[in-house]
């Protein structure tokens, strides 16, 4: 029986931002119900110990987030949540004192490129205030992400924005050596016990509209990661945000049957030969990271 290190269980397809690096999903806007969520947990319990509450969508928007975390704990799962952080002040009580919450990732670059103005100072203050409170009573890991680097060049706006964020982190966590001198895409920085900072390049979501490449490469999809969208569609990896590679629906077919069906097996066998079988995979540059 396969076991997945990363299991993306999307709880909503709705987001409150319009980030330039993350295209809005064309799928219907949906929030998973607690009953459906419980059924999903029962279906996947033999296959993983860890859940990620997203593929697309902003998890903190879910009105029953606290109940979903409690159910996850009852079923023995540990949960990782990636959030843009804009709702943290309103939703903090859903996250505090939740034994299932293993890791909380804040995409600090999310407020860039919005069609509306976000107060960057207040945004950071709300997040840092919450993290301080969280770490007083919890061992939940916190990761601050700055995934906005450009491979060819960085704009002055990005450099300035990152510098302001880094200075605020230095102040909050009493960092004496400038973070800007130590931060790189290849190495994260420990800011405090259980609190980390990571920088990376901005990636492009794969799309059927992109140009197809030679199809050579490797991916961990269906090996150590898999996903289920809000409507029950099983996808091989977290970058198939539109459910293009629809392997089956977990509400109709047993999860174990879906991940071992012919299409799933062909994907796995193809990548064993460093060959992308699916069209979307041949239009995904992310697999080049794995050779």
């Amino acid at each position: 029986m396969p076991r997945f290190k990363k299991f993306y269980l999307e709880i909503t397809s709705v987001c409150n931002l319009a980030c330039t690096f993350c295209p809005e999903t064309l799928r219907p806007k949906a929030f998973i119900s607690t009953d459906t969520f419980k059924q999903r947990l029962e279906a996947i319990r033999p296959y993983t110990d860890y859940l990620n509450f997203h593929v697309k969508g902003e998890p903190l928007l879910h009105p029953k987030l606290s109940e979903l975390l409690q159910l996850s704990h009852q079923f023995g799962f540990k949960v990782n949540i990636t959030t843009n952080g804009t709702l943290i002040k309103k939703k903090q009580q859903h996250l505090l004192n939740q034994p299932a919450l293993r890791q909380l990732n804040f995409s600090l670059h999310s407020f860039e490129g919005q069609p509306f103005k976000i107060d960057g100072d207040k945004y950071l203050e709300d997040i840092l205030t919450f993290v301080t409170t969280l770490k007083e009573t919890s061992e939940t890991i916190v990761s601050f992400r700055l995934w906005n680097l450009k491979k060819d060049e960085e704009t002055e706006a990005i450099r300035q924005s990152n510098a302001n964020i880094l200075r605020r982190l230095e102040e909050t966590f009493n960092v004496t050596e400038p973070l800007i001198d130590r931060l790189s895409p290849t190495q994260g920085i420990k800011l405090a016990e259980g609190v980390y900072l990571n920088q990376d390049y901005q990636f492009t979501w794969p799309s059927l509209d992109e140009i197809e490449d030679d199809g050579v490469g490797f991916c961990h999809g269906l090996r150590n990661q898999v996903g289920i969208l809000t409507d029950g569609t099983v996808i091989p990896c977290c970058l198939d945000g539109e459910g293009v590679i629809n392997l089956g629906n977990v509400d109709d077919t047993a999860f174990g049957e879906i991940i071992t069906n012919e299409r799933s097996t062909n994907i796995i066998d193809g990548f064993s030969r460093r060959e992308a079988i699916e069209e979307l995979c041949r239009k995904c540059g992310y697999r080049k990271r794995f050779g």
Side-chain angles (χ1 to χ4, degrees):
M1 181 181 298
R3 297 279 295 177
F4 298 98
K5 294 179 181 179
K6 297 180 180 179
F7 203 115
Y8 295 87
L9 188 58
E10 185 184 70
I11 63 173
T12 180
S13 59
V14 182
C15 189
N16 62 324
L17 296 185
C19 300
T20 55
F21 57 84
C22 184
E24 182 180 5
T25 180
L26 301 176
R27 295 183 283 118
K29 292 177 169 49
F31 293 88
I32 196 171
S33 70
T34 51
D35 288 341
T36 299
F37 183 77
K38 185 176 180 180
Q39 293 170 6
R40 302 264 166 89
L41 295 186
E42 291 174 341
I44 67 176
R45 181 155 51 174
Y47 300 94
T48 189
D49 296 319
Y50 302 98
L51 302 176
N52 295 273
F53 275 5
H54 75 284
V55 175
K56 286 292 189 75
E58 167 52 51
L60 268 58
L61 276 174
H62 201 292
K64 301 289 187 180
L65 180 59
S66 180
E67 287 92 328
L68 301 188
L69 285 168
Q70 290 166 12
L71 281 170
S72 299
H73 178 61
Q74 291 172 20
F75 277 79
F77 290 104
K78 289 296 183 180
V79 176
N80 304 317
I81 291 180
T82 298
T83 173
N84 58 46
T86 56
L87 300 173
I88 195 65
K89 188 171 184 178
K90 294 180 180 179
K91 295 298 185 79
Q92 59 182 337
Q93 293 306 319
H94 291 262
L95 298 170
L96 295 172
N97 302 311
Q98 292 284 3
L101 187 58
R102 172 187 174 273
Q103 182 164 332
L104 195 55
N105 306 312
F106 289 98
S107 298
L108 297 183
H109 51 278
S110 295
F111 66 90
E112 297 173 2
Q114 299 299 328
F116 47 85
K117 177 67 176 178
I118 294 179
D119 186 332
D121 291 336
K122 184 179 185 304
Y123 166 79
L124 268 178
E125 185 61 34
D126 288 346
I127 290 174
L128 294 174
T129 298
F130 167 78
V131 170
T132 300
T133 302
L134 175 71
K135 295 303 293 182
E136 288 175 352
T137 58
S138 171
E139 295 182 357
T140 298
I141 299 167
V142 173
S143 175
F144 296 115
R145 294 177 173 180
L146 281 173
W147 290 5
N148 60 354
L149 295 182
K150 306 290 186 181
K151 289 194 175 182
D152 296 327
E153 62 180 7
E154 286 185 76
T155 64
E156 182 58 33
I158 290 177
R159 285 197 296 268
Q160 186 61 40
S161 175
N162 285 355
N164 291 335
I165 291 172
L166 296 179
R167 282 195 293 270
R168 189 67 185 88
L169 292 175
E170 290 167 358
E171 295 169 0
T172 301
F173 297 103
N174 299 315
V175 177
T176 56
E177 186 177 352
L179 291 172
I180 198 168
D181 295 336
R182 294 188 288 150
L183 194 60
S184 74
T186 58
Q187 183 175 2
I189 294 176
K190 182 177 180 179
L191 300 174
E193 190 63 38
V195 182
Y196 302 89
L197 171 64
N198 294 279
Q199 188 175 54
D200 208 339
Y201 293 102
Q202 184 181 117
F203 69 87
T204 301
W205 285 80
S207 169
L208 293 179
D209 295 330
E210 296 294 324
I211 298 175
E212 189 170 312
D213 63 21
D214 58 12
V216 176
F218 180 80
C219 179
H220 292 283
L222 290 176
R223 291 178 185 272
N224 71 4
Q225 70 163 284
V226 70
I228 302 178
L229 302 178
T230 51
D231 67 355
T233 299
V234 178
I235 54 176
C237 80
C238 63
L239 293 183
D240 187 5
E242 295 303 310
V244 173
I245 308 176
N246 184 342
L247 301 174
N249 194 294
V250 74
D251 295 334
D252 304 324
T253 307
F255 180 76
E257 293 182 25
I258 294 174
I259 60 172
T260 56
N261 65 23
E262 183 178 3
R263 189 174 188 182
S264 297
T265 301
N266 287 340
I267 292 172
I268 296 171
D269 290 346
F271 280 124
S272 294
R273 303 188 302 269
R274 298 186 67 250
E275 177 185 354
I277 299 298
E278 294 283 342
E279 179 183 358
L280 185 69
C281 299
R282 294 193 297 270
K283 296 180 176 181
C284 177
Y286 202 78
R287 74 178 192 281
K288 296 296 185 179
R289 295 188 175 200
F290 308 112

